[in-house]
Amino acid sequence: MDHSSQNARSGEVSWKSENLGKRRWTFVVFLGILILHGLAIFVFTRGFLLTRTELSQYSHCSDIQQSPCFSPPQDDQMVNHSKGCWTKPAVDRIVIIVLDALRYDFVAPSTFFDEKKPWMDRLQVLHKLASQPGSFAKIFKAIADPPTTSLQRLKGLTTGGLPTFIDVGNSFGAPAIIEDNLIYQMAKNGKRVVMMGDDTWVQLFPQHFNISHPFPSFNVKDLDTVDDGCVEHLFPYLYQEDWDVLIAHFLGVDHAGHIFGVDSTEMIEKLEQYNGILEKVVDVLESQSGPGGLHENTLLLVMGDHGQTINGDHGGGAPEEVETSLFAMSLQKNPSSLPSETDSSSCRLDMEKRKICTSSIEQLDFAATVSALLGIPYPFGSIGRVNPELYALAAGTWNLDIFTPEGGINLSESERWMQNYVNVLCMNTWQVKRYIDVYSASSVIGFSDKDMSHVSNLYAQAHDNWLHTKEAVLNCKSESCSTLLPQLKKQVEAYSNFLSSITALARSKWTEFNLKMMGTGLCILVLSLFVHIFIIKKLDKLCSCYLPRGGNFVVSFEAIFAYAAVLIRSFSFLSNSFILEEGKTASFLLATAGMLQLRHAIVKKKMFLEGLLFVLVVPLLRFGIELGQSKQAVNSLFLKSFASWTVSVDNGTNLWIYVADILPFLALVILAYILYYKSIRHSSCRGIFKLVAVGTIFASSLIALAWALDGNLFSPSTVIVDIKAYWIPRIIYVVGLLQLFLLAISQLFGKEKTSGWEEGTIIKATAMLSAWSSTIIILSGKQGPLVALAAVIQGWCVIRLMTLERAKNDYYNSSTSYSSPVAKWSLLAVCLFFCTGHWCAFDGLRYASAFVGFDEFNLIRQAALLTIDTFGFSHILPVMGLPLIVACRRHPEVQAEKRKPLFFLQLCQVYLMYGLTMAISMTLTIICVTIQRRHLMVWGLFAPKFVFDAVGLLLTDLFICLASLYYFA
């Protein structure tokens, strides 16, 4: 008896020392895995998301002497800033009005589309101008290159180069552009530039504007401040002479889209406001466009930087996002119409029976075209082409007389214009060829010899043809010019073929992939998988020391399906279609797992209610996924007042409006009652943990109050608006931070007494989940409580159904017994990500959530809120709630003194298994983007998927490390 007591005491001492050491090494293990994953992603990213080499060379006026083209006439007036150097200026002044996120169907008449939408035909002033006789005004469909964030588009518009994916990360803090660009060339060549509106311009070009009036651009809830600032400064400048280029960047349409969507009253009001502003701008310009007037030779450009989806999102490569508009009008009328060979117009009658013609233009061509119009050097890195239709709108392009030999010739206006345009294309082609040669020689990898040979051959053909063209022009006399026009057309075709080939080559092979670094990163990530598996198997052996052995060792069908589900989902990333439908794939696998569980419950005649409930909730998650990813859902029956609802409400369906109003309140009440019932009324939860639960219930009541204030019960006074929009969210953030602080204090300095390790872990997990939940729900909007309730129900079902998977006389590995619940837990997390309206693209981010409770932009604060909104339901809550799987599973067959070590070993094992599922998905994502690195959708689909999965994996690893300190320490 004494001997057994001594063994028990020694075993207890041994357990305490071992447990202390184990708790230390668990954090070290998880931290090591985090570092390993971070290293793998960093190395792979260095090889995959490399930016193109930005060359330090700049174009200069003197460079034109090296080209084979005709130079503009040199005279004493060339020193004047209004004169050019590469070409003779065709316009004196340019007014550029940028309407951010201007969709093509905002500008083009509704008759150009299959169905008329409420937001169409709102910019009537542009229709009126484009329909007037003559060719002085035109509407263009402008095609952008993804990613379609404002930074990439402004950079692409001004440099004439293709965007690089890595710049997306700088969209919230735009760095100054250091390579040659349109704004630099304007400033260097004496053009006085005035800017007003979006402050991104002064971040990109900090020293280039003579005068600037920037306004903060990141508060997407503010529809008017930037626009009002533009209007305040725009009209006075139109009467002043101290500028050559005026840029006004409006943001109201972009912000209205982000908050309310395209099909909203606010969007229509903004478009009508813009129509009035543009009418006044045109009136002012036309009033001063007479001979000798201030705007006699001014060009007006009204343009978007990118489009937007029906939900107001942008960033990807969908047609709605890359198709924007450009309206151009010359105040000086053209003497003739464009030659038919270079005119690609499509004409239709608008709703007023006016004939309107539209054309297409690549945004890539903007920098070269504007440079040619102003007579300044093209940016050194521009690979765009001078667009003939936009170039021809300027009346000055019809009388440059660059080619005309002494004595003059009798040519038509069209032939004379073709001469000038050919010379402009000659400079354009020479500049692009020069850039490609320098880039290929300077870049680490550059273009292949085969590609360079093809480029050189095309240029040689165009150059040889140019020699004949020059000879034909110089020898042309009035009686022998019949072959000139065909020769000019042939020359335009040769140059266009060369420039098109360069653009296609750059789009297909621009990014410099470092396959060695990509392969190294992949190998490190694969190594981490073996580390996971090795430690899990090691823990299996340790757990077997505490678990009784009996019967046959089996692997249940549920466990086999769990392994298969993880692999099926991961390998589906090899297909771009499955990446687009990732949420649906996860919900299908979760539903399949639920059906297997329900069948098992029916066979065993127990847990039928849990199995049925699990199966019934999955379609609701699937419905949320369909709703969240339905970019074309214009008339859905859900709220549009919050950023989380990605579609609008049909105001005629009052019943559904009431249902949509009541359901979030009802879900919030149920969640609060569950927390009260489990944590306060019927629990041994005391002290700080009980205080945390009370804080969450208080925060839930504040959320309900905010939604009530948003309704029609209260008059929308300033005080009410401030309480709802600012004070309540901020109080909830403070409560959440205080809860987390109290839990940290309790962990470091106090010990909450509970009846056992299992119950203590349940209380700690409940407290941690409740501390995070209020902030996540307020950021998610009215869908938050519904998603949270579905997550609670599904999590409870997963935990309850674990007992079905083990037969009485069979023996299971510890990892095998937890494989099915962990797999379902991870699938549930994926479903939660997509059913909250997110998807793996930058237009899947809900930027408005970053400003819940705030108007001012602060990078750290807004980034934190956006991260919590994006990954709260899908990463933070699942990781912090994972210990419930182990804590709620009892082991009555295990001796009491062995339950403690077994519990923590299994908890560590479950976290490793969950991390392994995430790492497997990341590995297949990396394999996918490696294989598809030359795919057309690499930057629009595969690269964003890689970024989201990488951030998700690192965030999961980080919270597992924090969880190890919280639950193990």
Side-chain angles (χ1 to χ4, degrees):
M1 189 72 177
D2 292 339
H3 181 70
S4 61
S5 299
Q6 185 178 359
N7 288 339
R9 285 193 298 271
S10 63
E12 184 176 354
V13 172
S14 175
W15 150 245
K16 289 181 178 180
S17 60
E18 289 178 6
N19 188 44
L20 180 61
K22 174 176 64 60
R23 294 180 188 183
R24 289 174 179 172
W25 70 252
T26 51
F27 175 75
V28 173
V29 167
F30 292 133
L31 181 62
I33 291 174
L34 170 60
I35 294 173
L36 200 60
H37 286 164
L39 179 63
I41 291 171
F42 173 77
V43 173
F44 183 85
T45 301
R46 292 284 294 176
F48 176 62
L49 295 183
L50 288 176
T51 60
R52 60 180 172 84
T53 303
E54 293 186 351
L55 304 182
S56 58
Q57 286 89 337
Y58 290 81
S59 296
H60 303 281
C61 284
S62 59
D63 295 344
I64 195 62
Q65 304 302 324
Q66 306 170 21
S67 77
C69 315
F70 286 99
S71 301
Q74 303 294 318
D75 53 43
D76 294 337
Q77 291 181 323
M78 289 298 292
V79 298
N80 188 281
H81 75 271
S82 66
K83 301 301 178 180
C85 57
W86 279 24
T87 59
K88 188 177 179 180
V91 296
D92 296 332
R93 310 177 107 193
I94 296 182
V95 177
I96 302 174
I97 297 179
V98 181
L99 306 180
D100 206 287
L102 187 70
R103 286 167 57 109
Y104 176 59
D105 57 5
F106 286 170
V107 176
S110 59
T111 52
F112 280 75
F113 304 94
D114 295 334
E115 182 181 358
K116 188 181 187 304
K117 300 294 185 180
W119 57 84
M120 296 180 180
D121 297 330
R122 299 292 173 175
L123 299 177
Q124 282 293 317
V125 62
L126 303 185
H127 295 181
K128 177 183 175 182
L129 294 169
S131 63
Q132 291 181 358
S135 57
F136 66 95
K138 196 166 193 176
I139 295 172
F140 293 85
K141 177 195 287 186
I143 309 299
D145 288 287
T148 48
T149 57
S150 292
L151 171 65
Q152 278 74 24
R153 291 295 81 237
L154 294 183
K155 190 171 183 179
L157 283 167
T158 55
T159 63
L162 293 174
T164 49
F165 183 84
I166 201 72
D167 289 333
V168 174
N170 295 320
S171 290
F172 284 102
I177 295 178
I178 59 173
E179 61 181 325
D180 199 2
N181 60 81
L182 180 62
I183 307 299
Y184 170 83
Q185 289 295 340
M186 289 178 181
K188 181 182 177 182
N189 290 278
K191 304 298 180 183
R192 299 160 297 175
V193 187
V194 174
M195 191 286 305
M196 60 204 69
D198 186 352
D199 61 353
T200 304
W201 286 89
V202 294
Q203 297 175 43
L204 292 174
F205 313 102
Q207 307 296 330
H208 297 68
F209 299 114
N210 291 70
I211 304 173
S212 62
H213 303 281
F215 298 90
S217 59
F218 284 112
N219 184 6
V220 293
K221 295 188 294 183
D222 185 353
L223 308 185
D224 301 314
T225 298
V226 177
D227 291 358
D228 292 344
C230 286
V231 172
E232 177 186 354
H233 295 96
L234 173 60
F235 291 102
Y237 277 110
L238 294 180
Y239 292 97
Q240 298 177 14
E241 299 182 1
D242 59 347
W243 58 268
D244 300 297
V245 178
L246 185 149
I247 301 171
H249 192 143
F250 291 76
L251 284 174
V253 162
D254 180 69
H255 289 185
H258 281 305
I259 299 298
F260 303 103
V262 170
D263 189 12
S264 63
T265 303
E266 290 77 8
M267 179 64 76
I268 293 173
E269 290 175 350
K270 265 296 163 188
L271 291 173
E272 291 175 345
Q273 178 191 2
Y274 286 173
N275 186 68
I277 293 172
L278 294 175
E279 274 188 321
K280 294 179 182 178
V281 169
V282 172
D283 289 343
V284 173
L285 294 177
E286 288 184 335
S287 68
Q288 304 176 76
S289 63
L294 189 61
H295 297 294
E296 178 185 5
N297 191 21
T298 296
L299 180 68
L300 171 65
L301 299 176
V302 180
M303 59 187 295
D305 54 348
H306 51 73
Q308 56 179 304
T309 66
I310 199 70
N311 308 316
D313 302 317
H314 58 87
E320 296 169 301
E321 298 168 276
V322 299
E323 292 177 1
T324 181
S325 301
L326 187 150
F327 170 84
M329 183 183 78
S330 173
L331 273 298
Q332 193 175 44
K333 307 303 184 289
N334 299 331
S336 181
S337 60
L338 192 67
S340 59
E341 291 79 9
T342 54
D343 190 349
S344 61
S345 299
S346 172
C347 302
R348 294 188 184 183
L349 299 180
D350 69 353
M351 299 297 290
E352 303 295 329
K353 305 303 180 183
R354 298 171 298 198
K355 182 180 178 181
I356 297 179
C357 297
T358 66
S359 297
S360 294
I361 183 174
E362 298 277 349
Q363 280 195 351
L364 192 68
D365 302 338
F366 180 80
T369 305
V370 173
S371 297
L373 290 170
L374 290 173
I376 61 177
Y378 308 156
F380 187 85
S382 171
I383 60 171
R385 179 188 69 146
V386 177
N387 183 272
E389 294 169 271
L390 178 57
Y391 183 71
L393 282 176
T397 64
W398 295 80
N399 54 11
L400 296 181
D401 297 331
I402 299 297
F403 278 89
T404 306
E406 294 182 4
I409 53 176
N410 294 322
L411 293 177
S412 68
E413 295 289 350
S414 296
E415 290 172 330
R416 191 181 300 274
W417 181 88
M418 280 288 286
Q419 283 186 346
N420 297 327
Y421 180 63
V422 164
N423 191 59
V424 168
L425 274 188
C426 175
M427 298 179 188
N428 191 180
T429 304
W430 167 79
Q431 170 264 323
V432 171
K433 178 61 165 60
R434 178 183 64 162
Y435 168 68
I436 291 298
D437 288 341
V438 174
Y439 180 86
S440 188
S442 304
S443 180
V444 177
I445 298 177
F447 296 107
S448 67
D449 292 339
K450 180 181 179 181
D451 293 329
M452 289 304 298
S453 176
H454 176 66
V455 167
S456 298
N457 289 337
L458 286 176
Y459 183 77
Q461 294 172 14
H463 181 67
D464 291 343
N465 196 71
W466 171 247
L467 297 178
H468 294 94
T469 302
K470 286 179 66 175
E471 183 179 357
V473 170
L474 296 174
N475 294 332
C476 182
K477 304 298 181 182
S478 58
E479 67 277 2
S480 59
C481 292
S482 59
T483 61
L484 178 59
L485 187 59
Q487 181 65 33
L488 293 175
K489 293 177 181 178
K490 183 179 179 181
Q491 187 64 52
V492 169
E493 182 180 359
Y495 283 146
S496 298
N497 288 339
F498 171 79
L499 294 170
S500 298
S501 297
I502 291 294
T503 302
L505 177 64
R507 284 196 173 112
S508 63
K509 299 186 178 181
W510 195 261
T511 304
E512 299 175 351
F513 298 112
N514 189 325
L515 294 180
K516 290 183 179 180
M517 296 194 73
M518 293 171 66
T520 302
L522 176 59
C523 290
I524 296 173
L525 194 57
V526 171
L527 175 64
S528 76
L529 300 183
F530 287 104
V531 171
H532 273 97
I533 295 171
F534 173 78
I535 300 176
I536 290 172
K537 292 302 180 183
K538 196 73 174 177
L539 291 174
D540 265 338
K541 293 182 179 180
L542 293 175
C543 290
S544 64
C545 299
Y546 300 98
L547 289 170
R549 290 178 177 266
N552 301 318
F553 173 78
V554 296
V555 178
S556 67
F557 181 75
E558 287 79 5
I560 295 174
F561 177 78
Y563 302 141
V566 171
L567 294 177
I568 289 172
R569 176 176 172 268
S570 299
F571 277 95
S572 69
F573 298 155
L574 297 176
S575 167
N576 62 332
S577 299
F578 278 99
I579 292 178
L580 290 171
E581 306 295 344
E582 182 183 356
K584 297 176 184 178
T585 302
S587 66
F588 171 78
L589 293 172
L590 187 64
T592 305
M595 292 300 295
L596 292 174
Q597 291 279 273
L598 180 60
R599 174 187 172 278
H600 204 170
I602 294 173
V603 170
K604 291 202 169 186
K605 298 181 179 180
K606 63 177 182 178
M607 300 289 180
F608 174 76
L609 177 62
E610 289 86 344
L612 181 62
L613 189 60
F614 186 90
V615 171
L616 292 178
V617 173
V618 174
L620 299 179
L621 294 175
R622 173 61 180 269
F623 177 72
I625 294 170
E626 294 279 1
L627 179 65
Q629 293 189 279
S630 179
K631 295 187 177 184
Q632 302 296 333
V634 180
N635 294 314
S636 183
L637 305 178
F638 287 86
L639 299 179
K640 64 180 178 180
S641 300
F642 291 83
S644 58
W645 298 110
T646 57
V647 289
S648 304
V649 181
D650 183 357
N651 293 323
T653 51
N654 293 328
L655 174 62
W656 286 106
I657 292 178
Y658 295 143
V659 170
D661 273 330
I662 293 172
L663 280 180
F665 285 97
L666 184 61
L668 200 60
V669 170
I670 294 173
L671 289 170
Y673 176 76
I674 292 174
L675 183 61
Y676 167 76
Y677 186 84
K678 291 294 184 181
S679 299
I680 299 177
R681 185 176 177 184
H682 295 287
S683 174
S684 59
C685 176
R686 292 178 177 82
I688 288 179
F689 296 137
K690 193 169 189 176
L691 188 62
V692 169
V694 171
T696 301
I697 295 173
F698 170 70
S700 299
S701 65
L702 289 180
I703 295 173
L705 176 61
W707 293 343
L709 293 175
D710 191 62
N712 299 323
L713 298 177
F714 302 92
S715 59
S717 64
T718 304
V719 176
I720 296 280
V721 171
D722 287 346
I723 292 174
K724 173 194 70 175
Y726 304 110
W727 291 109
I728 288 180
R730 293 179 186 182
I731 292 173
I732 290 173
Y733 300 154
V734 171
V735 169
L737 289 173
L738 184 60
Q739 288 173 309
L740 294 175
F741 177 74
L742 290 175
L743 291 176
I745 292 297
S746 173
Q747 192 67 18
L748 290 174
F749 303 108
K751 284 192 174 181
E752 297 293 332
K753 295 183 179 180
T754 56
S755 59
W757 284 104
E758 293 88 351
E759 184 176 356
T761 302
I762 292 173
I763 292 172
K764 292 172 74 173
T766 304
M768 179 59 70
L769 293 176
S770 63
W772 280 99
S773 62
S774 299
T775 298
I776 294 174
I777 288 175
I778 191 68
L779 292 176
S780 299
K782 286 192 175 181
Q783 69 170 353
L786 299 173
V787 176
L789 183 60
V792 169
I793 293 173
Q794 291 296 81
W796 178 75
C797 292
V798 169
I799 293 169
R800 292 280 295 162
L801 291 169
M802 284 192 301
T803 58
L804 284 176
E805 299 174 11
R806 182 171 180 179
K808 185 175 181 181
N809 295 321
D810 289 337
Y811 164 65
Y812 289 79
N813 274 340
S814 177
S815 60
T816 303
S817 63
Y818 284 108
S819 58
S820 179
V822 168
K824 284 182 286 189
W825 202 268
S826 65
L827 290 173
L828 175 60
V830 175
C831 291
L832 293 176
F833 176 81
F834 288 96
C835 77
T836 49
H838 298 96
W839 53 89
C840 293
F842 294 103
D843 56 348
L845 295 173
R846 293 201 302 261
Y847 297 104
S849 64
F851 292 91
V852 175
F854 301 95
D855 278 341
E856 306 80 13
F857 176 76
N858 178 281
L859 180 61
I860 296 176
R861 180 181 64 207
Q862 264 58 61
L865 293 177
L866 185 62
T867 301
I868 293 172
D869 173 68
T870 305
F871 298 104
F873 275 117
S874 59
H875 291 74
I876 298 174
L877 294 184
V879 170
M880 301 312 293
L882 199 59
L884 294 173
I885 292 179
V886 182
C888 293
R889 185 168 194 171
R890 308 298 182 180
H891 292 279
E893 73 279 7
V894 179
Q895 298 176 12
E897 66 273 10
K898 294 183 179 181
R899 291 178 187 173
K900 292 179 182 179
L902 176 63
F903 173 80
F904 286 104
L905 287 172
Q906 290 184 331
L907 181 56
C908 179
Q909 194 172 44
V910 165
Y911 268 122
L912 285 167
M913 293 168 65
Y914 190 81
L916 177 62
T917 62
M918 297 290 293
I920 291 174
S921 298
M922 184 72 234
T923 303
L924 268 297
T925 298
I926 283 183
I927 293 174
C928 169
V929 297
T930 302
I931 296 173
Q932 307 285 7
R933 65 187 183 277
R934 297 299 182 191
H935 194 280
L936 180 65
M937 295 294 294
V938 62
W939 304 124
L941 178 65
F942 298 110
K945 169 62 178 171
F946 164 74
V947 171
F948 273 79
D949 278 8
V951 173
L953 177 62
L954 295 178
L955 201 63
T956 298
D957 289 341
L958 174 62
F959 274 89
I960 287 177
C961 288
L962 296 176
S964 69
L965 294 175
Y966 181 66
Y967 293 111
F968 290 84

